[in-house]
Amino acid sequence: MTSAPHVPRLAAETIDDAIEALRARGLRLSATRQLVLDTLFAASRPLSAEQIALRLDLVATSVYRNLEILERHGLLHHVHLGHGPGLYALAVHGPREYIYCPDCCTAKSVRPELLDPVRSHIKRRFGYEVSFAHFALVGTCQACAAKHVREATFDRWSRGASGEHHRHQQSLVTLAAAVQGPQPFHPQTAA
């Protein structure tokens, strides 16, 4: 299992800033490393090494090697969503944590302070300090929860369930639809 290195974030808002900062640290910028950086700066979501290798028609081991070097220098971080491969994202926007729905394979990237109430509860109740930066917090998203409620409602209705139960289930669907959050990214979809 890989572990995320604890290195300071490399301040690089643009690809030119990233190249300059890497060179200032004595890191050579090979053609492959340049291509990997170009791909990550152009991506709208985290990508796996395999996705990058396919896009660039490169050998995956070369991409992995470059991703590890860039991560060690604080330019990238990676996250594991569910049972899929590690996904790499630029660290230019500061620390991020993730919430992942395994039903539809979507994830939300959130600022860590938004999960502080969850973190505080876990620490109080169990004595653990947790982070959702390397491994995502896994749960059912709003859309999938509503779908499950609709399916359960239909199953009960088709078996002759009471109208009261149907109204209760419909209220849950309405409640689930009222909750909104940031737009999810789809890690299995190429950006």
Side-chain angles (χ1 to χ4, degrees):
M1 174 173 65
T2 61
S3 64
H6 299 286
V7 296
R9 180 176 67 88
L10 188 63
E13 295 294 323
T14 67
I15 191 162
D16 292 333
D17 292 342
I19 291 168
E20 184 179 322
L22 292 170
R23 284 185 174 149
R25 291 182 177 199
L27 192 62
R28 188 174 74 80
L29 192 66
S30 66
T32 300
R33 195 163 296 148
Q34 173 77 47
L35 289 170
V36 169
L37 277 174
D38 289 341
T39 302
L40 288 167
F41 269 93
S44 61
R45 61 186 55 110
L47 299 172
S48 70
E50 292 83 5
Q51 288 171 319
I52 295 169
L54 283 172
R55 283 184 184 194
L56 300 174
D57 196 26
L58 295 171
V59 177
T61 54
S62 177
V63 172
Y64 271 113
R65 190 170 39 253
N66 280 284
L67 290 170
E68 287 173 7
I69 290 168
L70 295 171
E71 187 172 23
R72 256 195 321 249
H73 283 273
L75 187 61
L76 307 178
H77 66 267
H78 77 272
V79 62
H80 295 273
L81 303 177
H83 297 289
L87 301 176
Y88 293 83
L90 295 168
V92 297
H93 302 294
R96 304 302 288 176
E97 293 188 326
Y98 300 87
I99 304 170
Y100 175 70
C101 177
D103 291 349
C104 62
C105 298
T106 61
K108 291 183 182 182
S109 168
V110 298
R111 293 184 322 273
E113 62 269 16
L114 296 176
L115 294 176
D116 282 347
V118 174
R119 216 181 325 281
S120 295
H121 177 74
I122 292 171
K123 185 173 182 181
R124 271 193 321 276
R125 180 80 164 97
F126 302 105
Y128 283 81
E129 292 190 25
V130 297
S131 168
F132 307 108
H134 186 75
F135 292 104
L137 181 62
V138 178
T140 305
C141 73
Q142 171 188 342
C144 289
K147 179 182 174 195
H148 295 315
V149 168
R150 283 191 306 273
E151 289 170 353
T153 300
F154 179 76
D155 288 348
R156 299 244 338 158
W157 177 80
S158 66
R159 289 191 317 260
S162 71
E164 181 61 35
H165 178 76
H166 177 71
R167 282 190 296 281
H168 174 71
Q169 292 295 337
Q170 195 58 40
S171 296
L172 291 175
V173 171
T174 304
L175 178 63
V179 179
Q180 295 188 11
Q183 293 297 313
F185 64 85
H186 300 273
Q188 277 67 14
T189 304

